[in-house]
Amino acid sequence: MKNQHRVNEQIRVREVRIVSDEGSIVVPIRQALDMAREQGVDLVEISPNANPPVCRIIDYSKFLYQQKKRQKEMKAKQVKVEVKEIRFGPQTDEHDYQFKLKHAREFLEDGNKVRAYVFFRGRSILFKEQGEVLLLRFANDLEEWGKVESMPSLEGKKMFLYLAPKKAGTAKKSQQALDREKRETESKETRKVERNDAADSQDAMPANGGLFANAKISAEALEKLKNNKD
């Protein structure tokens, strides 16, 4: 870092601009050097390409320490993006798929990239189309949290898909996701109605025609729920 700046007599120009907390002034180089000597510090050139070059009157060791500290703070503020891997087989079952989908969503929410790939072992390379469909489904299910950086591509025995996290606050639910949530909500409400009907029928089941009456009540409740939804 020392070699990055010219100091004192190394600064060979006619005049310089000295900046400080009070402002800036343009003075001849000889006057600037005298000012630095009077204060017992150095004349440090911080912007050599300016016209005239910009300098500061400061202890050079202190200046280097401040520069190093500033760089460390900037580095600490930078978000470190990692690439997390998700591995599939060409015939991954639904349970395993949902498990890996959950982890991928967490990776993207944390700001990491995701590299998903399907590994084709031996003759399973015959199912490469099936692997491509799986990766495309994977990307579609994660569209709220990540964007596709590259479409599925086969490299040797592996087919890769790369996803990058979406910026915070910009993720918007797709119509497919909204429809899925709606179906899940309707399904939960339907099961709740069915459980309530079953409990009511146990407490107050008619003496005759019990099964028929229970089915009728359940059907009426479902129809009422459907009408409320509409």
Side-chain angles (χ1 to χ4, degrees):
M1 186 176 289
K2 288 184 177 181
N3 296 330
Q4 292 181 1
H5 307 93
R6 292 190 295 182
V7 182
N8 298 326
E9 280 74 15
Q10 295 176 352
I11 308 171
R12 297 177 180 177
V13 294
R14 180 178 299 177
E15 58 184 12
V16 295
R17 180 182 296 275
I18 299 177
V19 295
S20 64
D21 295 338
E22 287 76 24
S24 68
I25 56 173
V26 176
V27 297
I29 183 62
R30 182 52 53 190
Q31 182 180 345
L33 290 170
D34 290 341
M35 293 169 62
R37 288 194 197 95
E38 290 174 0
Q39 298 181 35
V41 290
D42 303 293
L43 182 68
V44 182
E45 186 181 59
I46 60 175
S47 183
N49 296 325
N51 186 21
V54 178
C55 298
R56 286 191 65 187
I57 295 178
I58 189 173
D59 182 272
Y60 190 40
S61 298
K62 181 179 179 181
F63 174 78
L64 293 177
Y65 172 77
Q66 290 176 347
Q67 291 288 101
K68 188 175 181 180
K69 183 179 179 181
R70 189 177 296 111
Q71 290 179 1
K72 186 180 291 186
E73 291 174 350
M74 291 177 62
K75 187 176 181 180
K77 291 179 180 179
Q78 291 178 349
V79 178
K80 186 178 180 181
V81 178
E82 297 182 4
V83 179
K84 302 291 187 177
E85 283 195 344
I86 300 291
R87 172 176 169 170
F88 293 102
Q91 296 178 324
T92 300
D93 60 44
E94 184 64 22
H95 176 76
D96 191 30
Y97 174 84
Q98 293 297 333
F99 178 78
K100 293 178 177 179
L101 182 70
K102 177 184 176 183
H103 279 285
R105 184 170 65 245
E106 291 173 352
F107 293 150
L108 292 169
E109 287 177 341
D110 290 339
N112 298 308
K113 292 186 177 183
V114 171
R115 177 170 63 186
Y117 69 92
V118 179
F119 180 68
F120 300 98
R121 189 189 304 274
R123 294 177 61 84
S124 66
I125 193 68
L126 298 174
F127 299 97
K128 60 182 181 180
E129 289 82 6
Q130 188 171 338
E132 182 177 8
V133 170
L134 186 148
L135 290 177
L136 290 174
R137 175 193 174 190
F138 188 70
N140 186 65
D141 289 343
L142 292 170
E143 65 177 344
E144 297 175 30
W145 301 273
K147 56 184 177 181
V148 176
E149 281 195 330
S150 65
M151 298 298 287
S153 60
L154 187 64
E155 300 177 18
K157 293 184 178 181
K158 296 180 180 179
M159 181 174 287
F160 291 95
L161 169 76
Y162 292 88
L163 297 170
K166 287 187 175 180
K167 292 183 179 179
T170 59
K172 185 178 180 180
K173 292 187 178 181
S174 63
Q175 186 60 45
Q176 182 180 6
L178 293 173
D179 293 340
R180 183 171 62 248
E181 289 183 358
K182 182 179 179 181
R183 289 195 299 269
E184 291 175 353
T185 301
E186 291 177 346
S187 177
K188 289 179 181 179
E189 292 184 1
T190 300
R191 289 196 296 270
K192 182 179 179 180
V193 170
E194 290 175 346
R195 287 195 298 269
N196 291 338
D197 289 342
D200 293 341
S201 64
Q202 292 293 330
D203 296 336
M205 183 177 290
N208 52 358
L211 291 177
F212 176 77
N214 186 48
K216 183 178 180 182
I217 293 172
S218 179
E220 290 176 350
L222 289 174
E223 184 65 26
K224 182 178 179 180
L225 175 63
K226 182 178 179 182
N227 293 333
N228 290 336
K229 284 290 181 180
D230 296 337

